[in-house]
Amino acid sequence: MNTEVINYIATAASPQREIMEKVRDIILDAVPEVIENFKWSRPVYTLQKDFTYLQANKQHVNVGFYSGFEMLNDPDKLLQGTGKTMRHLKIKSIDEIDTELLSSWFKIVTNK
């Protein structure tokens, strides 16, 4: 557990705080050996390499995926962005969180 990550999440406004708490729990459950870092002013999750991050924004939370997003099955086009190495999912409310989907995506991008 990284204290900078804990503070970042704890001081976020609602509903961003609750969204990040839930997504963080999903990450820790899906990839138990994950390393939790605080880089670029946000929580970043690493296994052999960085695979996801959380970013609180004014109206939503971005759950970002680094390289590896290409392997994700996304028929509903939930992932946004046009960069070569990153995509993100915007979550505006805790009700939008699909635990099964996120858990499977975290496992896929970490080859678990």
Side-chain angles (χ1 to χ4, degrees), residues 51-83:
F51 66 91
T52 196
Y53 68 85
L54 302 176
Q55 180 181 351
N57 293 291
K58 194 171 187 175
Q59 301 292 323
H60 64 278
V61 170
N62 279 354
V63 179
F65 291 89
Y66 297 101
S67 293
F69 71 85
E70 311 88 352
M71 300 180 293
L72 302 178
N73 183 18
D74 185 21
D76 296 324
K77 307 285 188 229
L78 300 173
L79 292 172
Q80 299 179 13
T82 57

